[in-house]
Amino acid sequence: MRSGAAWVACAPPQTQEAFLNDLSEGALLALPWLFEFWALEHQLPPEGDWRTWVIMGGRGAGKTRAGSEWVRSEVEGSRPLDAGRSRRVALVGETVEQVREVMVFGESGILACSPPDRRPEWQATRKRLIWPNGAVAQVFSAHEPESLRGPQFDAAWVDELAKWKKAEEAWDMLQFGLRLGDAPRQCVTTTPKNVGVLKSILANPSTVVTTAPTEANRAYLAASFLEEVRARYAGTRLGRQELDGVLLEDAEGALWTSAGLEAARIDRVPAFSRIVVAVDPPVTGHAGSDECGIVVVGAVTDGAPQDWRAVVLEDASVAASSPTAWAEAAIAAMERHGADRLVAEVNQGGDMVEAVIRQIDPLVPYRSVRASKGKVARAEPVAALYEQGRVAHVRGLGALEDQMCRITSRGFEGRGSPDRVDALVWALYDLMIEPAASWRRPRVRTL
């Protein structure tokens, strides 16, 4: 869906001129303040009967502007002195200073977005905004949850909830106070983080969500900023969170964490002793099958096993509709990286797995592996290699890393099967764990 501004911008010059000429003087003067005309899709409230609207976006995606304009739409009536839907609003940020500097006085704050005849007055001593029609917005700090005990509201705007240190307490106190009017509502603008309060809100049936990456608002961002953050964070989990606005969840007790995987990130790879492509084939080969996990890993195995290092080079997993499709993808990954061996799990497919692969390349160096332990038991020694700092990741492994952060001692706490992680585990077993188990330091003969 395009905004009105986008439609006009893309229209031929004669259409643009006709549109502007048809506007009355009053409409032309009002146009800059009509947010529905200029807004991006994720900045407009969803339709329907909801209590909480969560706007999750990357840095600079326009979340603050959306929150400010939503407050305006709640408190303003048709004319400057007419009552709006809401009259008592809570503005809650991490600190009072951040509410004032971002939500009230910021470049996309309430004052900057308000037309002159509807602009509220800031009363510094009382920490509140008051509109010409009598509506009031009171400022609160999430550092002081008890300050929300007592006041009552019919609307609230909550900013950057995911970084609040006392998020649970402040959110709970706000809910008790959101009790005026027929259907009190709240808007939450935040960069997503893996915190319990945000996940609880998102799981609530009365919550609606809009999301957007930083790129969605690129017309209003410095090109140098976009270039810099793309170069530095593209293809990383931090980039997916801070730029793409994706909520990255680590399961409680996960064998791998987001922080640990970010610490394992490298931009340059060494010369490898060996490279393998590991495959975890799906049980069946049709459109409804699980994905086929295909992961490429290189290792430097000079010296003693404690000195060996590995780098995960590519997640080439595919949603294959047939055995031939995943076999072709695995062989192609070998060719891209000059891999020394293809390793495939055969618990489900048996000899048929090798037969399918050899139909594509009869001479491919191939090894079959069969799981005798459960997924978690196999994954734990691999997770230990990461804890020792012996496995690194290149960028662009988001889907694999998401699965890794859902593997716990209790099993996989995600959807479907962790096929990508299974392939990763087999690759590192072949490159490091099994060779280390059979490695013997050469004996020195003495005279």
Side-chain angles (χ1 to χ4, degrees):
M1 180 189 297
R2 283 181 175 175
S3 68
W7 177 84
V8 172
C10 296
Q14 58 270 27
T15 303
Q16 296 174 343
E17 185 175 356
F19 169 79
L20 295 174
N21 288 338
D22 287 344
L23 295 177
S24 66
E25 182 179 359
L28 195 60
L29 292 173
L31 188 60
W33 308 104
L34 298 178
F35 188 60
E36 294 83 354
F37 182 81
W38 303 100
L40 300 171
E41 186 174 0
H42 70 276
Q43 295 176 308
L44 294 174
E47 297 180 357
D49 184 20
W50 51 265
R51 177 178 173 85
T52 305
W53 173 30
V54 178
I55 309 173
M56 290 199 306
R59 300 286 186 93
K63 302 185 296 297
T64 303
R65 177 67 185 272
S68 296
E69 294 287 357
W70 179 78
V71 171
R72 276 192 61 204
S73 71
E74 286 288 304
V75 301
E76 292 180 6
S78 299
R79 293 172 297 182
L81 297 181
D82 290 349
R85 181 181 181 278
S86 301
R87 293 185 61 81
R88 295 292 179 268
V89 182
L91 303 177
V92 191
E94 188 172 20
T95 65
V96 169
E97 290 73 19
Q98 289 183 6
V99 176
R100 185 180 62 238
E101 297 304 318
V102 176
M103 301 168 73
V104 176
F105 285 96
E107 292 183 0
S108 297
I110 293 170
L111 292 177
C113 295
S114 300
D117 60 343
R118 297 164 185 259
R119 183 170 292 133
E121 174 192 355
W122 170 246
Q123 296 182 342
T125 56
R126 303 189 66 177
K127 299 175 185 174
R128 70 178 191 174
L129 288 168
I130 182 164
W131 274 263
N133 64 3
V136 175
Q138 188 74 42
V139 169
F140 296 91
S141 166
H143 278 321
E144 301 173 353
E146 289 297 310
S147 66
L148 286 159
R149 185 186 295 273
Q152 52 186 355
F153 321 100
D154 47 17
W157 174 22
V158 169
D159 190 47
E160 293 298 353
L161 168 76
K163 73 171 187 174
W164 293 357
K165 291 182 174 60
K166 298 182 179 180
E168 293 278 1
E169 300 95 317
W171 179 259
D172 288 343
M173 288 298 101
L174 176 61
Q175 302 318 294
F176 288 124
L178 200 63
R179 58 180 183 259
L180 293 180
D182 296 329
R185 287 180 166 184
Q186 55 198 340
C187 174
V188 178
T189 52
T190 189
T191 303
K193 284 190 175 182
N194 183 37
V195 294
V197 64
L198 179 58
K199 291 190 288 186
S200 296
I201 294 168
L202 295 176
N204 196 315
S206 63
T207 296
V208 294
V209 183
T210 58
T211 62
T214 299
E215 290 279 350
N217 202 35
R218 60 185 176 276
Y220 301 98
L221 301 173
S224 58
F225 163 76
L226 288 173
E227 183 179 349
E228 176 67 21
V229 294
R230 282 194 205 109
R232 186 166 183 175
Y233 300 109
T236 69
R237 282 179 69 81
L238 185 61
R240 295 183 69 212
Q241 173 180 285
E242 300 293 329
L243 301 180
D244 297 337
V246 176
L247 178 61
L248 304 176
E249 296 187 62
D250 294 357
E252 184 177 352
L255 301 186
W256 291 274
T257 66
S258 295
L261 292 176
E262 284 300 332
R265 190 87 54 210
I266 61 171
D267 291 315
R268 293 185 178 183
V269 299
F272 296 111
S273 307
R274 293 180 62 229
I275 298 175
V276 302
V277 174
V279 182
D280 181 51
V283 177
T284 57
H286 54 74
S289 300
D290 289 331
E291 289 181 314
C292 176
I294 304 174
V295 173
V296 185
V297 183
V300 179
T301 54
D302 299 331
Q306 61 266 28
D307 298 322
W308 298 354
R309 298 291 184 270
V311 179
V312 183
L313 299 171
E314 183 184 357
D315 175 9
S317 303
V318 293
S321 58
S322 69
T324 300
W326 62 253
E328 288 176 343
I331 297 296
M334 287 193 71
E335 294 173 350
R336 282 195 299 274
H337 295 275
D340 301 281
R341 177 186 283 176
L342 180 64
V343 179
E345 181 183 319
V346 298
N347 280 55
Q348 303 294 339
D351 294 339
M352 184 179 175
V353 173
E354 181 177 2
V356 171
I357 291 170
R358 296 219 180 272
Q359 287 177 5
I360 309 301
D361 185 350
L363 302 179
V364 63
Y366 170 84
R367 178 195 174 199
S368 64
V369 290
R370 187 176 296 274
S372 59
K373 300 179 180 179
K375 294 180 185 295
V376 173
R378 293 198 309 273
E380 285 175 338
V382 174
L385 293 177
Y386 279 82
E387 291 178 3
Q388 296 162 9
R390 296 172 59 190
V391 184
H393 281 202
V394 299
R395 297 167 182 254
L397 302 174
L400 167 63
E401 292 170 349
D402 287 349
Q403 282 193 359
M404 295 171 72
C405 292
R406 305 297 293 172
I407 296 280
T408 75
S409 57
R410 300 176 298 279
F412 179 57
E413 299 188 0
R415 294 182 179 179
S417 177
D419 307 287
R420 299 166 191 263
V421 178
D422 285 341
L424 169 72
V425 167
W426 287 123
L428 286 167
Y429 262 82
D430 187 84
L431 286 168
M432 297 182 71
I433 294 175
E434 291 179 349
S438 60
W439 186 87
R440 293 290 184 270
R441 189 180 301 277
R443 295 182 179 181
V444 178
R445 297 185 65 183
T446 58
L447 297 177

